[in-house]
Amino acid sequence: MSILWQARFYTTVNHLRNLPDLTVPELAFAGRSNAGKSTAINILCNQKKLAFASKTPGRTQHINYFSIGGAHVGQHRKDPTIVEEIRALLVDLPGYGYAEVAGSAKHHWNELLGSYVRNRDQLSALVLIMDARRPFTDLDKNMLEWFAPTGRPVHCILAKADKLNRNDSSNALRLTRSVLASYVDQDGKPFPYTAQLFSALKRTGLEEADAKIQQLLGLDVLPADMLAKLQSDYQPDAQDAFDPAYDADADADVDANIVTDNDLP
């Protein structure tokens, strides 16, 4: 059982001034709309509807926080979260790229995303979800350009890898690692960027992603007694357990709804 299975909705915000006043490490998930971000979060946390994609883009412009620790998991439980016992926060950033978003909303959206990834002190690392068939759109590169000056780790998850054959999957991973290697600091040292293949449907790369996320959050080095408590606090909920047949991104998976790379302000 993974500690990430303890993820529980904590709060949602639409302005930087409302970000949680906690000092625990945060790990943010970012990605183009339709890339498979919501489904990846759900399978990693073993919960069907923890994160969701909406048919109405305006409903997905918030930053959603999920806590690790501080409560029995339970999307359906009413017991309060003990803030002092939260060990880390998973952060679901708005998916970028919807054409239907009004210009003013799009500007606010991108200001929110850019300011958060550049300036949030608690942000330990970024998980960038990309469709394995279409990695590194200009939108994805913009996200990396925003985040690169922080020097913090990025882990790229190439989702929907099951839609590619073995050769194409290997090529996509090779390309991704090559692009990531081009990001270097002022001394020419590569940034701590990594990548992997992932498929929620086939459960490919699940253990690798789980281990990497725990490592980026420091959850893999918790004292044994604290780790045992986190694990014992988890109480599975069959109603909410992840269903491999459920694709949280399916409702939004229409390429016609995606803006071209040049449409980003």
Side-chain angles (χ1 to χ4, degrees):
M1 185 199 77
S2 169
I3 293 176
L4 301 185
W5 289 14
Q6 274 216 342
R8 182 180 190 179
F9 176 77
Y10 181 65
T11 190
T12 184
V13 300
N14 195 33
H15 295 281
L16 295 177
R17 62 178 178 271
N18 300 130
L19 293 175
D21 187 20
L22 298 176
T23 58
V24 299
E26 298 176 5
L27 182 140
F29 291 82
R32 198 190 72 169
S33 302
N34 305 6
K37 176 168 61 71
S38 297
T39 300
I41 293 172
N42 287 340
I43 191 173
L44 285 164
C45 298
N46 195 41
Q47 297 180 54
K48 185 167 70 173
K49 296 183 180 179
L50 182 68
F52 66 93
S54 173
K55 291 181 181 179
T56 306
R59 294 180 183 174
T60 58
Q61 292 179 29
H62 296 73
I63 295 177
N64 293 306
Y65 276 83
F66 310 116
S67 60
I68 305 293
H72 299 303
V73 70
Q75 287 290 92
H76 308 292
R77 300 182 190 278
K78 302 301 181 183
D79 55 309
T81 299
I82 303 172
V83 176
E84 294 77 13
E85 294 184 2
I86 293 175
R87 308 309 308 172
L89 291 168
L90 303 180
V91 187
D92 184 12
L93 298 177
Y96 42 81
Y98 269 108
E100 285 90 345
V101 178
S104 59
K106 191 187 299 181
H107 177 74
H108 168 71
W109 197 342
N110 287 286
E111 283 294 315
L112 184 68
L113 281 173
S115 297
Y116 173 81
V117 299
R118 285 192 299 257
N119 303 318
R120 182 67 167 169
D121 291 337
Q122 293 91 325
L123 183 56
S124 298
L126 180 73
V127 173
L128 181 59
I129 310 287
M130 297 186 290
D131 189 323
R133 299 165 297 176
R134 296 182 289 273
F136 292 112
T137 66
D138 284 353
L139 300 173
D140 299 317
K141 293 176 183 177
N142 283 342
M143 176 59 71
L144 281 173
E145 292 296 331
W146 281 334
F147 192 69
T150 70
R152 296 167 185 166
V154 172
H155 186 58
C156 289
I157 288 180
L158 298 178
K160 306 185 182 183
D162 56 279
K163 298 183 182 296
L164 296 175
N165 60 38
R166 181 175 298 181
N167 185 59
D168 289 340
S169 294
S170 297
N171 288 338
L173 183 59
R174 188 180 302 111
L175 169 65
T176 299
R177 288 174 172 167
S178 175
V179 172
L180 293 178
S182 69
Y183 286 84
V184 297
D185 63 19
Q186 58 185 5
D187 298 320
K189 181 180 179 181
F191 285 121
Y193 293 173
T194 52
Q196 69 162 102
L197 296 169
F198 187 89
S199 168
L201 181 64
K202 302 293 187 180
R203 304 184 78 87
T204 303
L206 179 57
E207 292 184 1
E208 180 182 353
D210 177 87
K212 185 64 178 182
I213 289 169
Q214 290 195 48
Q215 181 254 317
L216 291 172
L217 285 170
L219 295 175
D220 60 331
V221 294
L222 290 175
D225 58 341
M226 186 177 296
L227 178 61
K229 183 181 187 306
L230 280 170
Q231 292 176 331
S232 65
D233 280 349
Y234 174 76
Q235 296 184 17
D237 189 335
Q239 180 180 354
D240 199 49
F242 182 79
D243 177 1
Y246 177 82
D247 185 348
D249 300 277
D251 285 345
D253 198 7
V254 181
D255 284 345
N257 289 336
I258 301 297
V259 299
T260 63
D261 301 331
N262 294 326
D263 289 333
L264 185 66

